[in-house]
Amino acid sequence: MSLYKRNKTGFNTVLSKYFSFRNETKSLEPLSELLMNLRGSDFGEILDFLRTNPDVTENFGYYINYLFEGKPFNLSLTEANILSENAFFPEFKKRLLNKILPAVEHENTVWFLVDAISVRTGKDLQYFQSIPEEQLTEFFQLLRIDDIIIRPKVKNELLFSMNILAWRVIGNAMDVEVVNMAPEYRKFDNPFLALQNELDRLNENFAENPEFILNSKDVHYKQIKVYLEQCLDFVTLAFKNSAKYGISSKINQSLLKIRQQLNRMSDIHQVMVIDEEDDVVRKSKQLFFNILNYKSHKNNLLDLVSDSTRLMSHLITNHTAETGTHYITNSRRDYMSMFLKASGGGIIVGCLVVLKLFYGSLPGSDFSHGILYAFNYAMGFIMIYLMSFTLATKQPAMTAATMAKVLSEGENTQKNYVDFAHLVSKVFRSQFIAFMGNVALAFPVALAIIYGLDVLFQQNFAAEKASNILQDHDPFKSKAIFHACIAGFFLFISGIISGNIGNSSVFYHIPKRIAKNPFLNYFLGKKSAQNISDYYAKNAAGIISNFWFGVFLGITGPVGLFLGLDLDIRHITFAAGNIALGFYGKGFEVHTYTVVISVITVFLIGFFNFAVSFGLSMVLAFRSRKVNFGEVTEIYKEIFRYFMKNPLQFFLPIRSELDSSAKEMVENTVATKSEDR
């Protein structure tokens, strides 16, 4: 007979059906059917039935105790909702498989029993938690399961579970890479070993007296509590130090596992403490709720992704935030410097636009064109970076991380909100002048080059593709806005790559390895090795992220053609250059509508480049730093009020009495130096 039925009957009817007599079966069918009908019944009526039918109540209680008798539950405490792998993807794969095809467990365990009778453990847990405390206490007393927490076999399982967790914690915590994350603890006794020693003493007491009951005044309780707190402090410090030393996904996962195991040990430790008579039933209920809670989250994929990626995203945005400070103008001199740097970027992009035009006219497959486009973009972006020029749309990912860090580490006061609004105005005007510098030079440079080639070779090279170019920049005749969003997404990804390279460089001591490399020191000399190390530390993240950004932009169009999808990219600076080619290809004989819509589209593309990149970067940065989104709403309101009062501050470098406080806000929160362990 199936354990689960679609036709539901009353809970009291099921009780009478199975427990009008002493039922000594260990079948799960009665309990499964009861649980299936429980949520649709009034719990007060169930209690009334149990009070007025003592024989049924006694038989039901006997069945419950008989069913659980001798079934170990340590797996429910040591395995459920605790990471079992030291890497994210193996853990994700395991949970996904268990979610689709549940693992086959040993049938003589509480782990199997809960899985078998409760298909929706989370819903069942919510139901039991909604029951009034007094009613649930009476229910436990009527079934004579109100004292399970002090039964010797249960205490033995609890102690055994704590020992299993302690052994695993020590194994993970003694890993040399984990130890290196908290070098401060080298000066102190190891709290993990001390915790295990104290657990050994507690086990000895229990072995001598199985009736031994732990209370909050017991020296063993106090010592274990202190050592657990010290171990958790170790983990907290290791996570905190990741900003200085970097971290790998493996170490991140190991620290998460250690923290989960320590918290689980703390839960078990607390549930064992009995100070008053009422604590017996209360702790018995707590053990019941804990097991259901752990089991309900055992295959949760969202929790896994959230916990495993939060710290890594924090570190990525932390290193990105350091770069973002360079893109915020604080004075007129900075403002003009930003314009000149952006103008340099515009000159290079103007050249790239013409190069891409020629690459596209070469015979070859979509694949070969993709390679050429990727090379063109990557080469140009790396040149812009190495020549200290600026590509406007590279800024949002950096400045978003900076702003999120300021917001998360600063005090949430009205004054800080005003200072932050002023900081936003400085960021916005920096973006604005960078856009203007890029566009102001990309258009005339592309126009000058195509004109020069026309004069030199007596051929208008842009004529053939002029119509398509102009049509591609008409939002009503193409997907220019959608393609601009794709470019914005790639800008966001390039920011993540930059932050990840920065984190990895710090964690693996790459610059130091280069400086100390015996091969380089022998053949090139110590000074040259140090110069290479310094160059890598300064430029590696920028070069690699710009390379991949160029690759992404270059291959998107050819990949779209291969897949039969209308995929492409639109970037404000390239759009300005392309429109110059389109106008020249048409001999400047274009309709007024085309001129107007092209100019408008250039700035629309820039807006969506910025909006998508900045928006995604802000979400990532806010999530990584657990910024309260309720506070974000208040900040947006303050930014709007500040804009209405000082609109020119968002476009021009006008001095303000808030300049010093906004600058101090950034300097006090963003500065992070990598250190040696």
Side-chain angles (χ1 to χ4, degrees), residues 162 195 197-206 212-228 269 273:
M162 285 192 73
L195 174 62
N197 292 335
E198 200 60 40
L199 282 174
D200 290 340
R201 296 188 185 97
L202 186 61
N203 282 315
E204 290 173 4
N205 288 347
F206 180 75
F212 171 77
I213 295 178
L214 192 67
N215 62 70
S216 60
K217 296 181 180 179
D218 191 286
V219 64
H220 296 298
Y221 166 77
K222 294 179 180 179
Q223 285 294 95
I224 291 174
K225 184 177 180 181
V226 169
Y227 290 138
L228 281 171
H269 188 223
V273 176

Side-chain angles (χ1 to χ4, degrees), residues 116-134:
I117 66 173
S118 178
V119 178
R120 298 187 295 175
T121 313
K123 293 289 184 181
D124 293 332
L125 175 63
Q126 290 177 10
Y127 175 79
F128 283 115
Q129 288 176 332
S130 68
I131 298 173
E133 188 77 17
E134 302 78 13

Side-chain angles (χ1 to χ4, degrees), residues 346-402:
I347 291 172
I348 293 177
V349 169
C351 299
L352 298 179
V353 167
V354 179
L355 276 174
K356 186 186 177 186
L357 178 70
F358 283 106
Y359 287 148
S361 64
L362 293 175
S365 65
D366 292 335
F367 176 79
S368 64
H369 284 154
I371 297 296
L372 289 172
Y373 294 159
F375 170 78
N376 183 51
Y377 284 124
M379 174 190 67
F381 295 150
I382 292 174
M383 285 178 60
I384 290 172
Y385 174 77
L386 293 179
M387 296 175 73
S388 298
F389 294 150
T390 297
L391 189 67
T393 49
K394 287 286 288 180
Q395 295 171 287
M398 311 300 178
T399 50
T402 303

Side-chain angles (χ1 to χ4, degrees), residues 406-435:
V406 169
L407 193 59
S408 64
E409 296 183 13
E411 296 180 4
N412 299 324
T413 62
Q414 185 61 34
K415 180 183 181 301
N416 272 8
Y417 289 164
V418 175
D419 290 344
F420 187 79
H422 181 65
L423 176 62
V424 170
S425 73
K426 295 167 74 173
V427 170
F428 190 90
R429 76 186 182 209
S430 303
Q431 303 293 313
F432 170 75
I433 197 61
F435 276 139

